[in-house]
Amino acid sequence: MRMDFIRRYVITVLGALVIGWAGCAQAVNTGGFSNTMGGDSYPAKTVSTLAELKSAVAAGSHHIIVRGTIYGGPSLTTLTFASTRNNNTTVEGERGGQAVLENIQLKFDGEKLALGTNVENIKVSNITFYGNISDLQHLPTQVYGTANNAGINYEGVSLRRVTNAYITHCTFYNTSDDLLSVTLSSDYVTLSFNHFYFSRSWAYMSPDPVWNWVGSYTDLAGERLAMVIGANSSDSYVATGALHVTVHHNWFGPYMRGRPLFRGWVHLYSNYFDNHPALSGSRTANDGHRYPLQQYNAIQINSGSVVVSESNYFYHTNNTNNISTDSSGNIYKFYERNNVYNNTTGSSASGSNFGTSPVGYSYTITAASRVPDFVQRNAGPQ
């Protein structure tokens, strides 16, 4: 790693000293752990077709601008950035908010690099990512670990062994796995001003296929999950010292069934969790079984995590703060202050209060009472 791309963070984390590293080609205050502008300073390559987009990725373009809607085909397309030559890369939509990637996943993946080397300095902005419901319904039954797993692995953006990433002003909806993931010891990530949701058409799709994601079958319509930070208890903040992620000014909902799920060191502030109208009851899927429609949690605090939640607004959410570790005895810490819970249902854990902010970066809180209006007006592509 070149020293001119290195910035050292010394962060006091609720009494424990944590030292982390983040590379930066251009420094910027993202209001969070990351500090990169990706490849904004490189010459831009504008693409408007799938062939042009694939070509730009294959050529290692550092600054890609998406114009209009690009369709990834009925079998889905994953574009993978897996080399250090992909460091300092921006993929952004053209100004005006009309850039769309349909059936296309952007996968930033350093897992095949030498140990200790990650893909670095990634920015994705101003793009709408979504899955075509009809295409997903017509895929063969998807089973994890088999040749039929395109839908199992399909998200909008996947960050795997990535250091310093900034995902901002995007919309994610109707993808068949989580909408977004941050895993495999990725570190120093900021997710801001994004909209994560599912459509009513997704929640009530007919036919409703049944797939096997991780060892058990469930219905596609019920796979309405926002994001996961940390893949399992071995891929957590406590286990790796990584997964520092800031989540701020995002809009989660409507029609979200569960998550985000946190196994990282997560600073969650000024987000709007919107579960209105709340779904209830159940529906019958292709296997003849009935599956619940109701939201099972808004946020999930899991193994090896530190979650600091402040000035968020929860509206009609169910089981809002859910503690659900991978196995008994797994440790976690949950802190909160100044959140608003409006018409919430079910059970919800209460976090410990805290005083001085435990993060080492500057950020601007939007008071929770103002969050619904402010976030709805500003989240998503511009």
Side-chain angles (χ1 to χ4, degrees), residues 220-282:
L220 180 59
E223 192 72 4
R224 307 190 310 273
L225 306 176
M227 72 171 72
V228 60
I229 296 174
N232 50 49
S233 57
S234 298
D235 182 34
S236 69
Y237 164 70
V238 167
T240 68
L243 291 166
H244 295 87
V245 181
T246 306
V247 182
H248 76 86
H249 292 96
N250 299 284
W251 178 8
F252 293 94
Y255 299 114
M256 197 73 69
R257 185 148 181 257
R259 300 179 175 169
L261 185 157
F262 299 137
R263 295 187 179 96
W265 202 115
V266 179
H267 184 202
L268 183 76
Y269 72 87
S270 296
N271 297 282
Y272 180 40
F273 291 83
D274 170 20
N275 189 43
H276 184 73
L279 301 182
S280 61
S282 61

Side-chain angles (χ1 to χ4, degrees), residues 202-358:
W202 181 284
Y204 289 96
M205 70 171 65
S206 180
D208 182 6
V210 177
W211 293 356
N212 187 324
W213 275 268
V214 226
S216 60
Y217 285 86
T218 189
D219 70 318
L220 180 59
E223 192 72 4
R224 307 190 310 273
L225 306 176
M227 72 171 72
V228 60
I229 296 174
N232 50 49
S233 57
S234 298
D235 182 34
S236 69
Y237 164 70
V238 167
T240 68
L243 291 166
H244 295 87
V245 181
T246 306
V247 182
H248 76 86
H249 292 96
N250 299 284
W251 178 8
F252 293 94
Y255 299 114
M256 197 73 69
R257 185 148 181 257
R259 300 179 175 169
L261 185 157
F262 299 137
R263 295 187 179 96
W265 202 115
V266 179
H267 184 202
L268 183 76
Y269 72 87
S270 296
N271 297 282
Y272 180 40
F273 291 83
D274 170 20
N275 189 43
H276 184 73
L279 301 182
S280 61
S282 61
R283 56 170 318 187
T284 303
N286 286 6
D287 61 355
H289 294 155
R290 297 192 66 81
Y291 294 89
L293 285 163
Q294 186 179 39
Q295 183 179 70
Y296 62 79
N297 63 42
I299 66 171
Q300 191 170 350
I301 298 139
N302 209 280
S303 301
S305 65
V306 175
V307 177
V308 177
S309 172
E310 57 179 322
S311 295
N312 300 291
Y313 194 104
F314 298 91
Y315 185 52
H316 284 271
T317 53
N318 185 53
N319 299 333
T320 302
N321 300 317
N322 177 240
I323 308 295
S324 177
T325 57
D326 295 291
S327 61
S328 62
N330 286 168
I331 63 172
Y332 67 89
K333 293 182 180 179
F334 176 40
Y335 302 85
E336 66 168 328
R337 66 181 179 187
N338 302 328
N339 293 315
V340 169
Y341 300 91
N342 182 357
N343 281 300
T344 59
T345 56
S347 61
S348 181
S350 296
S352 303
N353 194 17
F354 64 98
T356 303
S357 177

Side-chain angles (χ1 to χ4, degrees), residues 120-159:
E120 298 182 353
N121 304 319
I122 299 301
K123 179 184 173 185
V124 180
S125 68
N126 217 38
I127 299 173
T128 293
F129 296 84
Y130 82 97
N132 181 294
I133 294 175
S134 178
D135 288 340
L136 293 167
Q137 288 173 307
H138 285 90
L139 289 174
T141 298
Q142 300 288 284
V143 180
Y144 180 78
T146 72
N148 292 331
N149 67 352
I152 297 296
N153 297 321
Y154 173 48
E155 305 173 328
V157 172
S158 173
L159 302 176

